[in-house]
């Protein structure tokens, strides 16, 4: 018996259709399998490894903090330097109104916390979300997930959720004085990289202002440089009331946060006290990694190069006759196939040629390219060459 046999035997699995390659090592943009095959990671663990695998700067920060202390006490009880330093770093990079961070362990938890905060602050019963949005797998996040197939088997879910179509300004009047919050991604990732139309996010922010509803940005997949700015609302020029972060935040370590103004966040501290608690939220080792992640991105000028790198992928691939469209912002690309039925086959071809790409949850006619932001220009040339070759053999 091998680990692969035990994997099927002992792990609860979300699907039977995983590649189930046994990976034994990683570095930069590469993953290495037990069979000795070298793969290029064009998914970044789904928008996590923005600073590359086995980044020495992150490793050093993790090792240093692990040797000093790990878990001491539930979140918020003791003053822990990694949490305080990280919260101050974030506040220093965010506009006024996004000053206070509540640390959690994952994206779903950031969404759960944000929903609770909005309900508690506004005292309102209704939530608004968008069709084809993905916000996580927990019950609250699932309730605002804009896809029936994934959530129907788990009803009853939270009541009072209204769904709107992304990019449709004519539906924004459905946000009313009863709406506690509106949850939105600036780019709908799992819908296949659907970019916001000009003015949509600004109109949404304006409608939330008029109705006193809180605008929650799910920046879990786009945060930490993916769109060419540290946070995606900077790319698209609007401002949420609550910002949800996770994924790339910890440079490969698990951590998430929801961030708001001091006034809004205070409402979680009282009535009831301890109404929102977490044991591992803001784990010191994860916070140390998150600090190193921001430092690495900034010290190495990674983010300003992201848009140009993404554009290079588009230039190299767009004119291939098998490709219908490429939706791109920064290093987040949705490659739409001309013949939808070939999407699965191209992903298999790419894998055989050592390139790991990924499907989208809600769009089967396209595939995702989202490499570590540290990918170099020569690596992009190598990768696009291999993609073109794989397209030839469809
Ligand atoms: C946009 C978005 N929001 C939330 C989540 C949930 O994050 P997690 O899997 O860390 O709970 C994801 C995960 O893929 C995501 O892509």
């Amino acid at each position: 018996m091998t680990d692969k046999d035990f994997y099927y035997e002992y792990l609860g699995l979300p699907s039977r259709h995983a590649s189930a390659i046994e990976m034994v090592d990683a570095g930069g943009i590469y993953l290495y399998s037990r069979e000795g095959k070298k793969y290029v990671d064009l998914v970044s663990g789904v928008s996590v490894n923005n600073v590359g695998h086995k980044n020495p700067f992150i490793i050093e920060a993790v090792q240093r903090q692990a040797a000093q202390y790990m878990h001491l006490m539930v979140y918020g009880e003791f003053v822990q330097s990694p949490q305080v330093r990280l919260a101050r770093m974030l506040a220093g990079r965010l506009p006024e109104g996004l000053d206070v961070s509540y640390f959690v362990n994952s994206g779903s938890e950031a969404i759960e916390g944000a929903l609770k905060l909005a309900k508690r602050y506004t005292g309102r019963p209704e939530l608004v979300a968008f069709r084809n949005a993905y916000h996580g797998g927990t019950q609250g996040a699932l309730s605002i997930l804009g896809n029936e197939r994934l959530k129907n088997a788990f009803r009853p879910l939270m009541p009072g959720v209204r769904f709107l179509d992304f990019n449709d300004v004519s539906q924004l009047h459905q946000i009313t004085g009863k709406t506690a919050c509106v949850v939105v991604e600036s780019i709908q990732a799992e819908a296949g990289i659907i970019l916001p139309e000009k003015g949509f996010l600004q109109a949404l922010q304006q409608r939330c202002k008029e109705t006193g509803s809180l605008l929650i940005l799910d920046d879990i997949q786009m945060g930490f440089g993916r769109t060419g700015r540290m946070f995606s609302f900077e790319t698209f020029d609007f401002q949420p009331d609550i910002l949800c972060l996770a994924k790339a935040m910890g440079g490969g370590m698990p951590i998430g946060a929801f961030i708001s103004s001091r006034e809004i966040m205070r409402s979680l501290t009282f009535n009831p006290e301890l109404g929102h608690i977490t044991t591992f939220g803001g784990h010191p080792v994860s916070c140390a990694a998150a600090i190193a992640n921001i430092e690495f991105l900034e010290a190495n000028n990674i983010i300003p190069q992201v848009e140009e790198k993404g554009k290079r992928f588009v230039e190299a691939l767009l004119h291939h006759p098998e490709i219908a469209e490429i939706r791109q912002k920064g290093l987040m690309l949705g490659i739409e196939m001309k013949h939808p039925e070939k999407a699965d086959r191209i992903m298999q071809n790419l894998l055989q040629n050592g390139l790991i790409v990924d499907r989208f949850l809600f769009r089967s006619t396209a595939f995702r390219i989202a490499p570590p932001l540290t990918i170099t220009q020569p690596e992009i040339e190598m990768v696009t060459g291999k993609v073109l070759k794989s397209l030839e053999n469809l």
Side-chain angles (χ1 to χ4, degrees):
M1 296 280 271
T2 65
D3 271 352
K4 190 155 175 175
D5 300 311
F6 293 132
Y7 158 93
Y8 288 114
E9 193 78 8
Y10 288 103
L11 261 65
L13 294 171
S15 156
R16 273 275 169 173
H17 292 98
S19 66
I21 302 165
E22 188 182 353
M23 296 299 182
V24 292
D25 204 356
I29 64 164
Y30 296 106
L31 301 176
Y32 302 89
S33 76
R34 162 92 42 219
E35 286 80 36
K37 188 163 172 177
K38 182 178 178 182
Y39 292 89
V40 183
D41 179 5
L42 297 178
V43 185
S44 307
V46 188
S47 301
V48 170
N49 303 99
N50 286 11
V51 295
H53 294 276
K54 212 151 80 175
N55 183 307
F57 199 67
I58 307 286
I59 294 173
E60 210 268 322
V62 165
Q63 287 177 337
R64 198 167 358 101
Q65 182 56 44
Q68 189 173 353
Y69 61 81
M70 292 198 242
H71 181 79
L72 298 180
M73 183 48 178
V74 295
Y75 177 71
E77 179 66 21
F78 294 152
V79 178
Q80 299 184 37
S81 174
Q83 293 174 348
V84 178
R85 280 193 295 137
L86 176 58
R88 289 186 65 207
M89 275 179 94
L90 289 165
R93 284 153 183 80
L94 287 164
E96 207 185 315
L98 294 171
D99 312 302
V100 181
S101 293
Y102 196 114
F103 292 124
V104 291
N105 305 286
S106 68
S108 299
E109 281 177 77
I111 293 289
E112 296 293 334
L115 293 178
K116 279 175 77 177
L117 179 58
K119 285 167 74 177
R120 173 71 188 84
Y121 180 72
T122 63
R124 296 178 181 182
E126 285 183 10
L127 310 173
V128 167
F130 289 91
R131 294 193 181 87
N132 289 324
Y134 180 80
H135 298 296
T138 50
Q139 302 262 340
L142 198 59
S143 303
I144 57 165
L145 184 139
N147 175 278
E148 274 307 301
R149 189 183 62 81
L150 285 193
K151 67 181 181 182
N152 211 11
F154 303 101
R155 290 187 193 283
L157 293 168
M158 262 168 45
V161 185
R162 184 188 290 273
F163 287 96
L164 308 182
D165 290 311
F166 191 66
N167 276 333
D168 188 347
V169 176
S170 76
Q171 296 182 18
L172 296 182
H173 69 275
Q174 295 182 50
I175 300 165
T176 69
K178 285 190 182 155
T179 310
C181 60
V182 179
V183 188
V184 72
E185 301 165 89
S186 53
I187 295 176
Q188 283 203 310
E190 295 308 321
I193 313 304
I194 306 302
L195 297 172
E197 282 170 16
K198 203 167 172 354
F200 175 70
L201 293 167
Q202 288 72 16
L204 179 60
Q205 183 184 344
Q206 179 58 29
R207 183 64 188 162
C208 286
K209 258 208 183 89
E210 285 162 16
T211 55
S213 314
L214 298 184
L215 180 57
I216 299 176
L217 173 63
D218 178 342
D219 218 16
I220 289 162
Q221 197 160 153
M222 299 298 157
F224 297 96
R226 179 67 47 196
T227 65
R229 299 290 295 268
M230 186 66 85
F231 306 104
S232 76
F233 66 83
E234 299 170 295
T235 298
F236 297 110
D237 199 21
F238 71 109
Q239 189 175 327
D241 300 297
I242 304 178
L243 175 67
C244 292
L245 301 171
K247 286 202 182 267
M249 183 173 179
M253 290 292 286
I255 184 167
F258 56 101
I259 302 175
S260 75
S261 70
R262 222 157 255 127
E263 183 204 331
I264 294 173
M265 193 64 86
R266 260 175 66 86
S267 59
L268 273 193
T269 312
F270 307 100
N271 298 326
E273 269 191 25
L274 304 181
H276 191 70
I277 51 181
T278 161
T279 297
F280 282 127
H283 191 284
V285 177
S286 293
C287 284
I291 292 168
N293 181 56
I294 295 173
E295 286 175 347
F296 180 87
L297 286 169
E298 291 180 347
N300 294 282
N301 206 32
I302 303 290
I303 297 175
Q305 304 170 45
V306 162
E307 180 60 22
E308 196 190 319
K309 289 180 181 178
K311 285 247 156 37
R312 183 64 203 122
F313 272 95
V314 177
E315 283 163 16
L317 301 179
L318 184 61
H319 301 295
H320 194 280
E322 292 286 353
I323 292 177
E325 183 190 18
I326 301 182
R327 295 178 291 274
Q328 173 261 340
K329 192 72 213 167
L331 277 168
M332 179 54 92
L333 295 98
I335 317 281
E336 191 75 30
M337 298 298 289
K338 195 156 273 171
H339 306 285
E341 71 282 2
K342 291 189 181 172
D344 263 344
R345 204 158 359 122
I346 183 66
M347 281 188 267
Q348 279 164 22
N349 275 8
L350 290 167
L351 190 63
Q352 259 166 19
N353 290 333
L355 302 184
I356 296 177
V357 298
D358 196 18
R359 60 194 77 239
F360 296 107
L361 278 176
F362 310 136
R363 195 168 187 115
S364 59
T365 54
F367 66 91
R368 169 192 347 242
I369 291 185
L373 309 185
T374 50
I375 192 169
T376 63
Q377 292 291 356
E379 284 170 339
I380 293 174
E381 300 312 315
M382 175 272 291
V383 164
T384 51
K386 283 189 176 212
V387 175
L388 291 172
K389 206 167 143 217
S390 305
L391 284 163
E392 291 313 316
N393 300 327
L394 260 190

